[in-house]
Amino acid sequence: MNGPLIQVEHLTMRFGGLVAIDDVSFTAASRQITAIIGPNGAGKTTVFNCITGFYRPTVGRLAVRHDGREYL
């Protein structure tokens, strides 16, 4: 499979006046281990919820590739 499985570009998530994620970018490639680490309250769960579609990011682009198809 060519290209990253997950591509996150300039992800920002705001809840009212609270900025939970600010300009996060990364890629996760096939057959590689990719981790999101940080202290409690750093936004790890919010990033996961944006990737899974539970939240719609305020700013940024997410692409998930599965079975040769790309989902934005």
Side-chain angles (χ1 to χ4, degrees):
M1 183 179 276
N2 294 337
L5 295 177
I6 299 172
Q7 187 168 3
V8 176
E9 298 174 346
H10 306 289
L11 185 68
T12 299
M13 185 69 196
R14 295 185 185 97
F15 297 99
L18 174 71
V19 179
I21 307 169
D22 190 17
D23 197 26
V24 172
S25 297
F26 69 90
T27 58
S30 178
R31 299 180 185 219
Q32 290 186 351
I33 297 171
T34 303
I36 300 172
I37 63 170
N40 290 341
K44 301 176 298 290
T45 301
T46 303
V47 169
F48 179 79
N49 285 334
C50 288
I51 291 169
T52 61
F54 188 75
Y55 293 151
R56 184 173 182 164
T58 308
V59 176
R61 179 180 180 274
L62 295 160
V64 178
R65 191 178 311 266
H66 178 68
D67 291 336
R69 297 181 185 154
E70 186 173 279
Y71 299 91
L72 302 174

